[in-house]
């Protein structure tokens, strides 16, 4: 059972800096989570999570079912009370500035329940009224999510994709600084996913910071600048794709298409200190440490091989995720 109260600060004490206890040069991040924990009875769903989302970033939470993503998201939204730790949004915490935070955050839950008998226009007007927002903004936001033509249809007749768009409209209507999306692409068809990603990118370009959770590695790879991987309540890895690749020491694959395969190919490559490679047709693949790419490419291009094409393949999120989960 969720307890819908504000997260407390537990036993975390914010470090004080500067003469008056605050550093004037301190950058305020959109989201700051420190040592956050959540117990449901004796079960610990979230374990000592530290997470920072900088202004303007798109950050993705990734993890198996039950990893604790939704719980963490609800703690960030003030919908679930943290057992311990600190959560700040734009430098504000829920104990002191609950209402102020709510104005700055927009949320699309995993499942959104609307009144089937209301039209899209009536639904969005209802949210607008709650938040003191103008009719013009309702029109604008329905336009942005592509529901203007369907605005007088009852929500009960909407497809999953259309309901998701309406959910997005209510999440963005008050122009939040931080938009939080819990598995936003689940249940959408491929076109719906593409359109949703375009909307997310547009809002982000306009300055909205975005935190979303997902099971879809492609969506995460395409959208997120930084990724947090959770497992059994813990944050087991965080960073950009390149940082995660470095951390794991995963190689870059160099693929070389040759015009002809010389009989002494192995000798040539070994002579250039390339000991392991795979040959498929006329394509040679070399797994190379990231910091040795230039040396390997220079060695291959020195004229002894007739190279038609050469390309680099960095490991994708798929192999990064699998490696991290296997650690
Ligand atoms: N209200 C609750 N009471 C007791 N246990 C809960 C409650 N909510 C979540 N849990 C448990 O906490 C753990 C984390 O759940 P959570 O929903 O946060 O995971 P998740 O990563 O979002 O999973 P999914 O990807 O399936 O949505 C799970 O073991 C879940 O059963």
């Amino acid at each position: 059972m969720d307890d819908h109260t504000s997260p407390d600060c537990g036993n975390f004490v914010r470090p004080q800096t500067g003469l008056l206890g605050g550093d004037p040069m301190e950058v305020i991040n959109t989201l700051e989570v420190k040592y956050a924990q959540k117990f449901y009875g004796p079960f610990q769903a979230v374990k000592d999570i530290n997470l920072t989302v900088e202004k303007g970033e798109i950050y993705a939470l990734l993890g198996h079912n039950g990893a604790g993503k939704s719980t963490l998201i609800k703690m960030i939204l003030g919908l679930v009370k943290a057992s311990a730790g600190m959560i700040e949004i734009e430098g504000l915490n829920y104990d002191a500035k609950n209402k102020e935070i709510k104005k700055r955050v927009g949320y699309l839950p995993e499942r959104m329940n609307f009144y089937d008998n209301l039209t899209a226009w009536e639904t969005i007007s209802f949210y607008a009224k709650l938040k003191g927002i103008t009719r013009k903004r309702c029109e604008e936001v329905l336009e942005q999510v592509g529901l203007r033509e369907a605005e007088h249809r009852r929500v009960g007749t909407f497809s999953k994709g259309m309901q998701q768009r309406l959910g997005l409209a209510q999440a963005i209507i008050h122009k939040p600084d931080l938009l939080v999306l819990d598995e936003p692409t689940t249940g959408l068809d491929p076109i719906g996913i593409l359109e949703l990603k375009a909307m997310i990118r547009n809002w982000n370009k306009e300055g909205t910071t975005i935190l979303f959770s997902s099971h879809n590695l492609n969506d995460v790879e395409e959208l997120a600048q930084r990724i947090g991987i959770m497992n059994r309540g813990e944050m087991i890895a965080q960073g950009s794709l390149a940082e995660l690749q470095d951390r794991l020491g995963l190689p870059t694959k160099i693929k070389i298409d040759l015009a002809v395969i010389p009989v002494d190919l192995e000798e040539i490559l070994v002579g250039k200190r390339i000991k392991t490679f795979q040959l498929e047709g006329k394509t040679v693949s070399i797994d190379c440490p990231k910091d040795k790419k230039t040396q390997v490419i220079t060695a291959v291009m020195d004229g002894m091989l007739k190279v038609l094409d050469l390309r680099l393949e960095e490991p994708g999120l798929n192999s990064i995720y699998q490696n991290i989960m296997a650690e």
Side-chain angles (χ1 to χ4, degrees), residues 202-219:
N202 275 342
W203 289 325
N204 179 247
K205 260 190 222 150
E206 287 165 8
T208 312
T209 305
I210 292 165
L211 170 73
F212 74 103
S213 71
S214 181
H215 287 291
N216 188 314
L217 299 179
N218 289 337
D219 297 342

Side-chain angles (χ1 to χ4, degrees), residues 178-204:
L178 174 65
L179 178 61
V180 181
L181 311 167
D182 199 354
E183 297 186 24
T185 56
T186 305
L188 296 185
D189 62 26
I191 298 290
I193 293 177
L194 285 177
E195 288 174 355
L196 175 85
K197 285 197 259 198
M199 284 183 239
I200 291 178
R201 279 196 203 96
N202 275 342
W203 289 325
N204 179 247

Side-chain angles (χ1 to χ4, degrees), residues 84-102:
M86 183 205 81
I87 294 170
E88 279 186 358
I89 290 164
E90 298 284 347
L92 308 169
N93 69 61
Y94 280 99
D95 291 330
K97 299 281 180 189
N98 194 331
K99 273 195 184 152
E100 178 63 22
I101 294 178
K102 296 266 152 84

